[in-house]
Amino acid sequence: MTEVKISPDAKESPSEDMGGYPHYMLKEINEQAESLKNTLAGRISGGRVNLSPELTWSEEDVRQWKKLHIVACGTSYYSGLVAERFFESITGFETRVE
């Protein structure tokens, strides 16, 4: 049997990395705009998102795809479910989220 000692000064308050939010989901919701801005920084050209320097597949490669598999966990799983419907509606790909 393993004995676990609980420190009497252990806090039950939110951790510092939660930025004052009562739970992580609320923190992530409120940080979405900044996260998107940081993700797209340097990837927008002529008013369009340009990922071509980062992707190794061609437009012809993509035309041959039939399936898309999105892997996510935590709250990003729910974003994956939204993306699933979006990609299925615009591409016709069979899309799966796990």
Side-chain angles (χ1 to χ4, degrees), residues 3-20:
E3 185 177 317
V4 177
K5 292 185 180 184
I6 299 174
S7 171
D9 57 47
K11 293 188 215 175
E12 291 188 16
S13 62
S15 65
E16 290 180 23
D17 65 340
M18 288 181 51

Side-chain angles (χ1 to χ4, degrees), residues 3-97:
E3 185 177 317
V4 177
K5 292 185 180 184
I6 299 174
S7 171
D9 57 47
K11 293 188 215 175
E12 291 188 16
S13 62
S15 65
E16 290 180 23
D17 65 340
M18 288 181 51
Y21 293 99
H23 49 77
Y24 283 107
M25 184 180 286
L26 189 57
K27 179 180 187 282
E28 288 182 8
I29 289 168
N30 284 284
E31 291 179 346
Q32 286 178 356
E34 187 69 22
S35 295
L36 183 60
K37 181 179 134 191
N38 292 340
T39 300
L40 295 177
R43 295 177 175 98
I44 298 178
S45 175
R48 299 187 67 166
V49 176
N50 181 5
L51 299 176
S52 57
E54 298 173 38
L55 305 177
T56 59
W57 53 77
S58 68
E59 187 174 331
E60 184 59 35
D61 293 332
V62 174
R63 290 184 195 282
Q64 295 177 26
W65 294 353
K66 303 290 181 238
K67 297 180 181 181
L68 179 63
H69 189 173
I70 300 170
V71 179
C73 69
T75 55
S76 65
Y77 175 77
Y78 298 104
S79 297
L81 293 174
V82 172
E84 175 183 35
R85 287 182 178 238
F86 174 74
F87 283 118
E88 284 182 340
S89 71
I90 67 167
T91 66
F93 293 166
E94 176 188 332
T95 307
R96 182 174 73 181
V97 180

